[in-house]
Amino acid sequence: MWWEDAAVYQIYPRSFQDSDGDGIGDLRGIAHRLDYLVWLGVDAFWLSPIYPSPLADFGYDVSDHTAIDPVFGTMEDFDALLAEAHAKGLRVLLDLVPSHTSIEHSWFREHPDRYIWSPVDGPPNNWRSVFGGSAWSRDDVSGGWYLHTFYAEQPDLNWRNPEVVAAMQDVVRFWLGRGVDGFRVDALTGIVKDAELRDDPPAAGDFPLPLPREFGELEHVYSSNRPEAVEAVGALREAAGDALLVGEVFLGTAEYPRWLEHLDLVFAFELLFAPWSAEALRAAIEPAEALKRVAWVLGNHDFDRLATRVGEENVRAAADLLLTLPGTAFIYQGDEIGLPDGPGHDPPYDRAGRDRFRHPMQWDASPTGGFTTGEPWLVPIDPEERNVEAQRADPDSLLNHYRRLIHPE
Ligand code: GLC
């Protein structure tokens, strides 16, 4: 398969390239930068969500799965980007968000049975939201209590309702029909919940990945990681045919085999969080490597930047590791120029504190880093000291190091 040894580049569309001066990245901007991706040598790119969204979770609260948010452009812009990418030999992955929608999605009012509601007047169990507090909130309109694994603005879909399964399969077919090459599948772990809504037990303390404190106090065996999820993923696979499906399954490596039944790849999160020591890295890599079908990853839009985590002195070794491990590797935009965490925004856009990992790409040394001609939605961090243009011109730069690793000449 084309992806078996691929380097895939994650684009965070709001922060990659603005083309119309509104300070927010867009599809035409991405199209202008395709030659950069070709030069870098990646095989594909993944677009974080480009669908209409009220932005409670910056695109991961989707209010229409088969449309383009006007801030990013139009469906024509999308088709043009896809065609241009393909013409340049780049494959395109979209972000599929099957486990929840925005509370402003028309389904929430028109098809409330597509969501998960408490059978009692209040939370029926102790489940917690990833972002803190109860996973249940009261809907002021109907008075019922609905489940949300993430923000209250992101009600969870009920995958036990065949209508949900069919609707999400239609979403997959819609985008495949336009020509996309696959999907990164968001927040799969909790796609199906316990039918009896049983309480999650207290955490045993051995979960291998970092979790927000309050959320981590419970072992999420009923609210998430259900055996029934295999069937749900199977339904996505049925619609996807042999398009690439990379799952965001936020669990330790030992849990992956069942998820890989219908997914091509799952992100190797233990590697992303491994402390920077040979021993810890080996412990994270060996079991994941044995599965043969993990996507190696050292950064994304949810966690501290690679350069901040491993330190400037280790960014080259991190690139060596990421891009020489056997199999598929994902690179988060900006990591190839060593972008660190930024200052974020005050007041925060993301209530969970992830603005710092989402600052604009720095293309040149100008004050906005060539990202926009307007006011950038998040300030560039340090375009004068760090930018693509300067690093391209310097054979010893981190950027050229990435390039050589991606396609050795
Ligand atoms: C995934 C996304 C994250 C989002 C969450 C809920 O973890 O990467 O950004 O907040 O899902 O959709």
Side-chain angles (χ1 to χ4, degrees):
M1 301 299 276
W2 67 266
W3 45 264
E4 275 171 18
D5 204 23
V8 184
Y9 189 91
Q10 178 189 356
I11 291 180
Y12 193 73
R14 291 181 75 80
S15 300
F16 194 60
Q17 178 66 58
D18 179 23
S19 73
D20 59 6
D22 68 356
I24 298 172
D26 48 43
L27 297 175
R28 286 185 180 209
I30 296 169
H32 290 317
R33 294 294 184 185
L34 287 180
D35 284 337
Y36 170 70
L37 299 183
V38 171
W39 173 83
L40 188 58
V42 298
D43 302 279
F45 57 89
W46 145 35
L47 296 176
S48 275
I50 50 175
Y51 321 112
S53 164
L55 299 184
D57 192 11
F58 277 79
Y60 286 93
D61 49 325
V62 178
S63 54
D64 183 349
H65 292 85
T66 54
I68 303 292
D69 194 301
V71 81
F72 295 129
T74 63
M75 195 57 87
E76 288 68 45
D77 294 333
F78 176 76
D79 288 339
L81 172 63
L82 190 61
E84 256 183 86
H86 283 164
K88 292 179 190 289
L90 294 164
R91 315 259 180 168
V92 180
L93 308 180
L94 291 187
D95 212 312
L96 182 70
V97 188
S99 301
H100 48 261
T101 69
S102 161
I103 198 160
E104 292 179 37
H105 195 297
S106 61
W107 293 351
F108 193 68
R109 296 290 161 217
E110 289 164 21
H111 301 279
D113 50 317
R114 294 188 184 176
Y115 298 83
I116 298 175
W117 296 87
S118 169
V120 297
D121 184 20
N125 60 27
N126 69 349
W127 295 355
R128 293 194 181 159
S129 148
V130 172
F131 297 136
S134 171
W136 299 90
S137 285
R138 185 170 180 277
D139 167 30
D140 290 335
V141 177
S142 68
W145 290 73
Y146 64 92
L147 182 65
H148 54 87
T149 300
F150 295 93
Y151 290 122
E153 294 93 331
Q154 291 167 290
D156 283 5
L157 285 166
N158 179 9
W159 272 76
R160 294 177 187 275
N161 178 345
E163 253 180 60
V164 167
V165 181
M168 215 41 85
Q169 287 181 315
D170 284 346
V171 172
V172 168
R173 291 192 198 99
F174 174 86
W175 292 109
L176 288 177
R178 301 202 94 84
V180 308
D181 301 285
F183 301 90
R184 174 266 190 184
V185 193
D186 180 71
L188 265 177
T189 330
I191 190 168
V192 181
K193 282 90 180 167
D194 180 43
E196 295 168 44
L197 306 177
R198 280 171 281 189
D199 272 0
D200 278 333
D206 55 4
F207 192 75
L209 305 174
L211 292 174
R213 192 188 50 77
E214 211 181 281
F215 184 70
E217 286 167 4
L218 298 178
E219 195 84 41
H220 305 100
V221 289
Y222 293 118
S223 57
S224 126
N225 197 17
R226 298 302 302 155
E228 302 94 305
V230 175
E231 210 182 309
V233 182
L236 293 176
R237 168 57 69 198
E238 188 187 298
D242 62 7
L244 174 60
L245 294 181
V246 189
E248 188 206 21
V249 179
F250 202 74
L251 295 169
T253 307
E255 301 290 326
Y256 290 162
R258 122 158 74 115
W259 291 90
L260 283 168
E261 203 169 308
H262 298 293
L263 295 169
D264 297 299
L265 299 167
V266 290
F267 289 113
F269 280 116
E270 284 193 40
L271 176 64
L272 196 154
F273 294 108
W276 197 251
S277 80
E279 201 186 330
L281 291 168
R282 187 180 304 113
I285 291 166
E286 276 180 357
E289 204 281 320
L291 295 175
K292 299 296 172 207
R293 285 197 287 127
V294 295
W296 303 111
V297 62
L298 287 177
N300 69 28
H301 61 292
D302 289 327
F303 306 110
D304 281 301
R305 280 278 186 180
L306 175 59
T308 298
R309 283 201 337 270
V310 304
E312 198 101 9
E313 66 282 13
N314 291 314
V315 288
R316 278 168 198 256
D320 293 342
L321 178 64
L322 178 66
L323 295 162
T324 57
L325 282 166
T328 316
F330 277 65
I331 301 161
Y332 178 40
Q333 84 178 36
D335 282 354
E336 77 277 26
I337 54 169
L339 212 61
D341 285 357
H345 192 261
D346 191 19
Y349 293 110
D350 178 52
R351 279 134 52 197
R354 294 169 294 178
D355 298 336
R356 290 170 299 130
F357 325 137
R358 301 171 176 181
H359 284 266
M361 195 55 188
Q362 299 177 174
W363 299 102
D364 61 39
S366 67
T368 63
F371 163 67
T372 179
T373 55
E375 275 293 309
W377 75 288
L378 263 179
V379 291
I381 301 170
D382 54 1
E384 253 172 81
E385 292 100 76
R386 190 191 317 273
N387 63 70
V388 168
E389 195 176 71
Q391 291 199 25
R392 259 181 96 145
D394 172 6
D396 295 326
S397 67
L398 179 64
L399 178 59
N400 270 302
H401 190 67
Y402 265 86
R403 180 168 187 255
R404 282 189 295 269
L405 285 162
I406 293 169
H407 58 176
E409 264 131 344

